[in-house]
Structure formats: C-alpha cells, structure tokens
Amino acid sequence: QVQLVESGGGVVQSGGSLRLSCSVSGVTFNTYDARWYRQAPEKEREWVASITSQFGITTYGDSVKGRFTISRDNARTTVYLQMNSLKPEDTGVYYCAAFPRVGAREYWGQGTQVTVSA
C-alpha cells in the first residue's frame, strides 16, 4: 500500500532547471525523513539530498550543494527537489526515499529520468 511516485523528470539543456516531485502515500508522512538519490548507468547510486521529518533540516551532497534544494510539504505529502544550473553530470535516474525515525522499513520510488544535454 505504501507508494512513492516521482515525477518532473525530462530533458533539459545545460544550465537549465527542473523540479522533481515525489508523492508519498500509505505512511504517516511527517514521521519519515526524506531523501533523494540518483544513479547514472554503470555507476553506483549516489545520495543527493536529505530533509528531516522533525525540523526540516536539509543536507546535500557536495556535487549539488548550492544548486539543488530539497523541500517537503507535509499537507500534500510531497517531497520536492528543485534543480538549478544543471550540468551533464547530473544526468541519471532520480529516486526519492522515505526513512522512518523509529522502527519501520524504508520505502523507495520507481525513479524518474533526468537528462542534461551539453
């Protein structure tokens, strides 16, 4: 019953912007931390950004710091990733994930493709 559905991916020119959304259902959303990951072909999955459930504290990977912003709307049970100043190396499949503060398992979405052309 738990579902995370990413949307907003696509093809964008280098220097452009995209906003990804992750709609979450089936869990008590405000008890879960949220994270974005990405994976390029033949490469290991990379952590991109996190936001906590309790205080909305954000952290970012070094490669996206200053360009990406993670946010959440608890009323809409949605997590966002605003991506600005995109580079070709940002290309990959982007996944959102929900991590409970206590006890329960984590949940992952199916991913959305982001392609940045040079």
Side-chain angles (χ1 to χ4, degrees):
Q1 190 174 29
V2 177
Q3 291 187 337
L4 283 71
V5 181
E6 300 95 334
S7 61
V11 180
V12 65
Q13 187 174 317
S14 181
S17 298
L18 286 173
R19 189 177 77 161
L20 306 184
S21 298
C22 176
S23 177
V24 182
S25 62
V27 300
T28 305
F29 181 69
N30 63 183
T31 67
Y32 282 74
D33 293 350
R35 303 175 188 171
W36 286 95
Y37 294 82
R38 66 188 182 189
Q39 188 167 26
E42 306 299 325
K43 295 186 177 180
E44 190 171 345
R45 185 174 57 196
E46 176 189 17
W47 168 72
V48 174
S50 299
I51 185 166
T52 67
S53 62
Q54 293 181 311
F55 301 106
I57 299 169
T58 59
T59 51
Y60 299 91
D62 289 340
S63 64
V64 307
K65 197 171 299 181
R67 299 187 297 119
F68 290 12
T69 303
I70 187 173
S71 61
R72 65 191 294 161
D73 185 333
N74 286 346
R76 294 178 169 83
T77 65
T78 300
V79 185
Y80 303 96
L81 186 68
Q82 177 67 46
M83 306 185 295
N84 298 326
S85 302
L86 283 162
K87 306 173 181 179
E89 55 259 45
D90 295 319
T91 293
V93 178
Y94 282 69
Y95 301 90
C96 66
F99 291 78
R101 306 316 313 278
V102 178
R105 59 157 289 186
E106 65 197 52
Y107 297 97
W108 292 77
Q110 85 289 348
T112 186
Q113 176 70 42
V114 172
T115 302
V116 184
S117 64

